[in-house]
Structures are given as structure tokens and as C-alpha cells.
């Protein structure tokens, strides 16, 4: 089972790296998932991710406070809006589908903006 969690953790790290390179794909959520997988499979890999100078702080802030930094909220909501615009232009959905997708994306954005901001250093 430990091997499964480690492999799944590396899969999420790979998705996080891809997300760092592509503007419409998230990064931090995949790294949070990777840290959770590593916590079940390898304490060393979990510590490596949590102690990473660039990605460690947002992961620790989420774990400790359930917090998302303002910059992260803005980036996430901008990505959601951009994703919906791409969906609208490329799919040209009928009204019911357009409204359904808009509602799901708006609910996601609302959930993101209602998370607390981090308090103090991670």
C-alpha cells in the first residue's frame, strides 16, 4: 500500500509541475494532494514537499489553517473565468449546459474566495 501512495504522490507532483507551466491548470491543489499521499507512503517525501522553499508554505498554510493566500485566490478565480471563456468559445454550448457549467464554476470560485487568508508565516 505504501508504494501505491508514493506513486500516487508522484503522479500529483507531476500534475503540479504541469500546472506550474500551464496557465489554466492549478498547481497547489495537486501538491496538497501529493503531500497527503506522501504522508501515507513516505514521511521523507512528505517532509521534502513541506520543507520546499517555494511550494512548502502554501501547503502548510492549507494544512494548518485551511487558508488560501489572496494572490492564490485571484489566480484561481482568473483561471476559472478563463476556463469558462475557453469553454464558451470552443464548445458553443446550448443554454442549459452553459448555465450548468457556469453555476459549477461560480460555486467553485465562491468556495475559494470564502476560505480564510493565512495568518502569520507558514
Amino acid at each position: 500500500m505504501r508504494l501505491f501512495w508514493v506513486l500516487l504522490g508522484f503522479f500529483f507532483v507531476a500534475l503540479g509541475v504541469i500546472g506550474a507551466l500551464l496557465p489554466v491548470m492549478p498547481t497547489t491543489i495537486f501538491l496538497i494532494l501529493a503531500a497527503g499521499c506522501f504522508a501515507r507512503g513516505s514521511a521523507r517525501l512528505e517532509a521534502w514537499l513541506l520543507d520546499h522553499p517555494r511550494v512548502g508554505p502554501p501547503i502548510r498554510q492549507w494544512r494548518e489553517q485551511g487558508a488560501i493566500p489572496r494572490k492564490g485566490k485571484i489566480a484561481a478565480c482568473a483561471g476559472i473565468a478563463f476556463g469558462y471563456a475557453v469553454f464558451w468559445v470552443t464548445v458553443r454550448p446550448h443554454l442549459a449546459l452553459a448555465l450548468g457549467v457556469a453555476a459549477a464554476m461560480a460555486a467553485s470560485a465562491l468556495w475559494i474566495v470564502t476560505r480564510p487568508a493565512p495568518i502569520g508565516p507558514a
Side-chain angles (χ1 to χ4, degrees), residues 7-92:
L7 291 175
L8 189 59
F10 277 120
F11 172 72
F12 285 131
V13 168
L15 289 178
V17 169
I18 292 168
L21 302 174
L22 296 176
V24 296
M25 189 166 163
T27 300
T28 306
I29 187 62
F30 291 121
L31 297 177
I32 290 170
L33 290 168
C37 292
F38 288 154
R40 289 160 182 79
S42 170
R44 183 177 59 83
L45 290 171
E46 178 191 23
W48 165 74
L49 204 51
L50 293 175
D51 294 336
H52 190 279
R54 180 125 171 110
V55 301
I59 297 169
R60 288 193 309 275
Q61 289 169 340
W62 176 255
R63 276 190 170 183
E64 296 165 7
Q65 305 171 26
I68 301 173
R70 177 182 296 261
K71 198 162 128 178
K73 292 178 186 186
I74 292 169
C77 290
I80 289 170
F82 180 74
Y84 187 78
V86 169
F87 164 74
W88 180 267
V89 169
T90 59
V91 175
R92 299 190 187 271

